[in-house]
Amino acid sequence: MSITRHFVLAAGGTGGHMVPAASLAAELGRRGHHVSLISDERGVRFPGLFEGIQTHILPAGRLKGGPIGWTRAASAMLQGRTLAIELYRHQRPAAVIGFGGYPALPALLAAFNQGIPTAVHEQNAVLGRVNRLVAGKVSAIATSYAEVERLKDAHRGKTHLVGNPVRDAVLALRNQPYPLLEEDGIFRVLVTGGSQGASVLSQVVPDGLSLLPINFRRRLQVTHQARIEDIDAARAKYAELSIAADLATYLPDMPEQLAWAHVVIARAGASTIAELTVAGRPAILVPLPSATDDHQTANAREITMAGGARTIDQRGFTPKELAKQMQRLGLDPAALQNAAGRARSCGRPDAARDLADLVESLDAPLGDMPVGEGRPKKFGDEAAFA
């Protein structure tokens, strides 16, 4: 039986950082540990991820905007570091685990100052900026891919491949069979651009699907997550082309949608790839060209090389190219099921377990029990340490 300890998770305010942090929090909680979160204003807005977990909002600047912006960011980082040190003195954690993003940096800097064991988790196939900055000082580096760009050889000795944790509802799909696809049955397509949506998918997908042979097009049932500024035009286009489609700006039942999908058309964010590979769903991927260090193209490489996805550069993502790839995937049920199996072969369903094992193994002193739960607290509140 493990000894109860207190772990601090530090994550930037995007879904790509917050979802794996929440998955680790759930796993550590099941093992009887106490967990608290350090994030920013954006991070605490994700519904349902960290319910009942003590959350601290620290200032953390972003390195942009030229010399003035850099100065402001540095000032915010130092302020966040000071407040995190104060927090750790009140609630000594056994370890601090960063998930990338600038809001994680003050928490890690404070841990270095206090001699607290640390680890970082990298969701992408390219080591992110914050993780690169601290890689030399952390106790361990957890990765989601066997090959990670921008990871120095000197740091590989403390690098551990664990995968990218996914939500329990997605993990449950691994034990479900690929949805039955009959030659004349409904063909379900899930279109998603991640938490922010993707305008290019709304612009290209309806026209691309309209180029499919009519007997194939009539079988389509599309679920499309669109940006709010694109949704009306996309809905009108599907209706004009007589393609059955449900559109929404947010899909709260994403695991259920993924369960029924025969093909997914998506960006190549880390969480998307992790969910596709754990569930075993073939995909057409359109990496975000403006992603830092082109990390989405790197993310898509493993599943594409395995035969579980087809990747299309956004510059070549035209209705004609989409229709061609859809026919190659969708007109042969046996080939499509084979692609699903190849996608599944890239999945790492034990990521949360393996990451929790790594975190527990850090040579840490026994952490004091954290106190207080519930709503996010800003430092400066009287109840911040209550």
Side-chain angles (χ1 to χ4, degrees):
M1 181 176 180
S2 63
I3 299 173
T4 296
R5 286 179 279 173
H6 173 208
F7 294 100
V8 171
L9 311 187
T14 67
H17 300 307
M18 302 302 289
V19 169
S23 296
L24 176 61
E27 177 64 20
L28 290 173
R30 284 191 287 267
R31 299 183 183 199
H33 299 303
H34 296 268
V35 179
S36 58
L37 171 72
I38 289 178
S39 189
D40 61 1
E41 295 279 5
R42 296 175 303 158
V44 300
R45 292 174 183 168
F46 286 84
L49 286 185
F50 288 92
E51 290 181 1
I53 291 179
Q54 187 178 33
T55 303
H56 305 281
I57 301 170
L58 263 65
R62 293 178 60 84
L63 298 177
K64 63 179 183 178
I68 294 177
W70 300 338
T71 300
R72 290 174 177 170
S75 177
M77 291 286 182
L78 289 173
Q79 183 185 4
R81 172 181 173 273
T82 299
L83 293 170
I85 288 173
E86 185 181 354
L87 172 65
Y88 298 161
R89 286 173 177 168
H90 281 78
Q91 301 177 0
R92 178 81 178 181
V96 176
I97 301 89
F99 286 82
Y102 288 107
L105 186 54
L108 291 167
L109 294 176
F112 299 152
N113 176 270
Q114 294 293 294
I116 298 169
T118 53
V120 292
H121 179 267
E122 179 55 60
Q123 300 87 50
N124 294 299
V126 181
L127 200 64
R129 289 176 179 174
V130 168
N131 286 348
R132 289 203 299 268
L133 187 63
V134 302
K137 299 196 71 172
V138 296
S139 310
I141 300 170
T143 66
S144 302
Y145 295 87
E147 297 296 327
V148 179
E149 299 175 17
R150 307 295 291 271
L151 176 63
K152 293 182 179 180
D153 289 340
H155 301 150
R156 294 188 183 276
K158 59 181 177 182
T159 298
H160 307 263
L161 174 61
V162 300
N164 193 11
V166 299
R167 293 168 288 182
D168 289 344
V170 174
L171 188 60
L173 301 181
R174 194 161 180 89
N175 297 321
Q176 298 181 19
Y178 180 73
L180 180 66
L181 178 62
E182 300 176 355
E183 289 189 4
D184 58 350
I186 295 174
F187 190 99
R188 298 181 179 86
V189 180
L190 173 62
V191 184
T192 175
S195 60
Q196 301 301 315
S199 292
V200 68
L201 300 184
S202 296
Q203 294 160 5
V204 173
V205 172
D207 287 330
L209 298 182
S210 75
L211 298 178
L212 295 172
I214 190 167
N215 61 326
F216 188 8
R217 190 168 71 242
R218 285 175 174 171
R219 296 167 51 207
L220 295 177
Q221 174 61 59
V222 180
T223 300
H224 188 137
Q225 178 227 351
R227 295 172 68 93
I228 191 168
E229 60 266 32
D230 301 326
I231 192 167
D232 290 339
R235 184 179 285 116
K237 175 63 75 171
Y238 279 119
E240 175 188 335
L241 298 170
S242 299
I243 297 174
D246 295 320
L247 289 91
T249 57
Y250 175 67
L251 299 175
D253 58 344
M254 182 62 79
E256 183 177 346
Q257 296 292 345
L258 193 61
W260 285 104
H262 294 107
V263 168
V264 179
I265 303 173
R267 287 296 198 196
S271 291
T272 296
I273 299 296
E275 292 182 351
L276 289 172
T277 56
V278 166
R281 293 297 181 272
I284 294 173
L285 302 172
V286 187
L288 175 67
S290 61
T292 305
D293 298 318
D294 196 22
H295 67 255
Q296 288 204 4
T297 297
N299 291 349
R301 193 169 295 137
E302 182 181 45
I303 185 176
T304 300
M305 291 181 65
R310 298 176 184 272
T311 297
I312 306 174
D313 184 276
Q314 184 164 306
R315 291 168 296 184
F317 185 57
T318 63
K320 183 177 180 181
E321 180 63 21
L322 174 62
K324 181 173 72 174
Q325 298 299 339
M326 278 292 295
Q327 288 186 77
R328 287 178 176 175
L329 273 174
L331 290 180
D332 183 350
L336 189 63
Q337 188 147 7
N338 180 57
R342 290 175 179 270
R344 190 178 187 275
S345 72
C346 297
R348 295 182 173 88
D350 298 325
R353 183 201 68 187
D354 292 346
L355 181 56
D357 286 348
L358 175 62
V359 167
E360 285 185 327
S361 74
L362 296 174
D363 186 17
L366 181 63
D368 293 337
M369 299 288 247
V371 290
E373 291 184 348
R375 67 177 182 86
K377 304 178 181 69
K378 290 185 180 180
F379 284 92
D381 290 352
E382 291 182 1
F385 301 109

